[in-house]
Amino acid sequence: MNSPATKSVKEVFELISEDLLAIEREFGRDTVSNVAAITEIGEYLRNGGGKRLRPALLLLSAKLMAYRGLGAVRLGAVVEIIHTATLVHDDIIDDAEIRRGRPSANTQWGNSKCVLAGDWLYMQAFKVAVAERNFAVLDTLIELTQKMVEGELLQIEKLGKLISLQEHFDLIDRKTACLFSVCMRLGGILGGATAEQIEKLGEYGHCVGMAFQIVDDVLDLTASEEVLGKPVGSDLREGKVTMAVIDALEHCTPAERDTIVAVMRENGFVSVQHADILKILKRYDSVENALLRANEFAVKAKAAIEEFPDSEYKRALIWVPEFVVERDK
């Protein structure tokens, strides 16, 4: 039996199903190049699944503002292309072998081709966006891509280090939440929203993105490999401390701290097992504390759009944060 959140999310996607299909077609057309490797990599990534949550937010934001043009489909494809480009580069940087249960693109085509394919995708996203002839759209996308690249560089600098919660939140904002925020802001820009309304839409997107990433990081530690589609505990093995681990580090003993650090130092569960880490997290309720923080962001997201007029699109946006915090994959 479906939970209310699952049922509602199904209804949300049905609300915008035709536009999402149009985005999928646009995405397919936009990732075709006369260089075969780019087309092959683009198609492989496009067929890799994914929730299409980011373009869905853009569509809902635009419809909330009563926008009815074709720009939302075009920009929905743009944000998904940008998201795809970041995944390509992430997998190369992380030396990942698996993405959504399949071999990552870099294991199929090699790092060199994938770096260039990722670059091409970024440029193609801007080429498509230019067709809107809207400087506010381009400014927003330029700011986004700069922020995301800065986030990737900052994360590399902090790999293997025991960072603070504030540093971690800054990384989440740059790597994930800023794209969610931009999706909402772009919908507002298309719909002729006021500066204050765009600010509120951006705040909603930011909070949904923060909740999304916190839950994602918790699942990386607690879900099964079958559900995740990648090895469990990948973040910690790669030297990334996420919110539940940061929470445990604030309360644990020196010996427990050494246990956590050992996984990061050895780049895997060698002298320490995954179950040992879970025991430490359980001892300090660190997973629950992380999920509570995700829920706080979900509540803030809903509050951000409280003053918008009631509509089926607003109700859909109210449901999205609940889906984000309740999901199990």
Side-chain angles (χ1 to χ4, degrees), residues 265-276:
R265 189 181 60 246
E266 296 164 357
N267 295 122
F269 297 107
V270 183
S271 64
V272 173
Q273 297 307 302
H274 180 241
D276 299 326

Side-chain angles (χ1 to χ4, degrees), residues 62-319:
K63 287 179 184 295
L64 181 71
M65 299 308 302
Y67 176 78
R68 295 292 179 266
L70 296 174
V73 167
R74 187 180 291 127
L75 292 182
V78 164
V79 296
E80 199 61 15
I81 292 168
I82 289 172
H83 176 54
T84 302
T86 65
L87 295 184
V88 175
H89 286 165
D90 279 357
D91 284 345
I92 294 164
I93 291 162
D94 297 341
D95 204 19
E97 295 181 358
I98 301 290
R99 162 73 64 182
R100 293 173 181 155
R102 308 185 307 165
S104 58
N106 47 302
T107 63
Q108 300 280 88
W109 284 274
N111 286 349
S112 300
K113 283 184 180 178
C114 285
V115 166
L116 295 170
D119 292 345
W120 186 91
L121 287 168
Y122 272 124
M123 292 306 99
Q124 182 68 353
F126 278 93
K127 183 179 176 182
V128 175
V130 164
E132 275 303 298
R133 299 288 186 264
N134 186 323
F135 280 118
V137 165
L138 290 174
D139 284 346
T140 303
L141 290 170
I142 288 165
E143 183 187 330
L144 166 73
T145 49
Q146 286 180 325
K147 197 171 182 181
M148 292 176 87
V149 171
E150 287 167 358
E152 200 63 67
L153 286 165
L154 279 173
Q155 182 165 274
I156 292 168
E157 285 177 14
K158 295 178 190 301
L159 275 183
K161 295 177 183 174
L162 303 182
I163 62 173
S164 69
L165 184 59
Q166 194 48 56
E167 287 176 303
H168 176 56
F169 278 176
D170 183 44
L171 281 174
I172 289 180
D173 177 44
R174 290 172 183 276
K175 286 180 58 64
T176 302
C178 65
L179 181 51
F180 280 74
S181 179
V182 160
C183 289
M184 292 296 295
R185 282 163 55 198
L186 287 173
I189 291 167
L190 287 176
T194 66
E196 187 183 351
Q197 286 173 323
I198 289 170
E199 187 69 26
K200 291 284 187 185
L201 293 169
E203 174 66 8
Y204 169 94
H206 166 78
C207 291
V208 170
M210 295 294 285
F212 181 92
Q213 192 58 54
I214 291 169
V215 172
D216 226 41
D217 293 341
V218 164
L219 292 172
D220 180 77
L221 288 162
T222 61
S224 67
E225 188 166 336
E226 292 72 32
V227 168
L228 283 176
K230 63 176 184 176
V232 179
S234 295
D235 288 336
L236 198 56
R237 280 188 284 200
E238 290 163 10
K240 300 172 192 170
V241 288
T242 52
M243 189 175 169
V245 175
I246 291 168
D247 182 84
L249 286 165
E250 286 177 358
H251 302 98
C252 69
T253 65
E256 289 167 333
R257 174 180 286 253
D258 291 343
T259 299
I260 292 168
V261 169
V263 180
M264 299 164 68
R265 189 181 60 246
E266 296 164 357
N267 295 122
F269 297 107
V270 183
S271 64
V272 173
Q273 297 307 302
H274 180 241
D276 299 326
I277 299 297
L278 290 181
K279 279 179 193 168
I280 296 170
L281 298 179
K282 188 173 182 182
R283 192 166 297 135
Y284 300 103
D285 295 325
S286 296
V287 166
E288 288 76 7
N289 291 339
L291 292 176
L292 279 172
R293 186 62 72 100
N295 199 59
E296 285 173 17
F297 277 114
V299 169
K300 284 181 185 173
K302 289 186 275 189
I305 58 167
E306 206 168 41
E307 292 175 17
F308 284 85
D310 186 46
S311 69
E312 58 186 346
Y313 303 112
K314 179 182 175 180
R315 289 192 292 274
L317 285 166
I318 293 292
W319 272 106

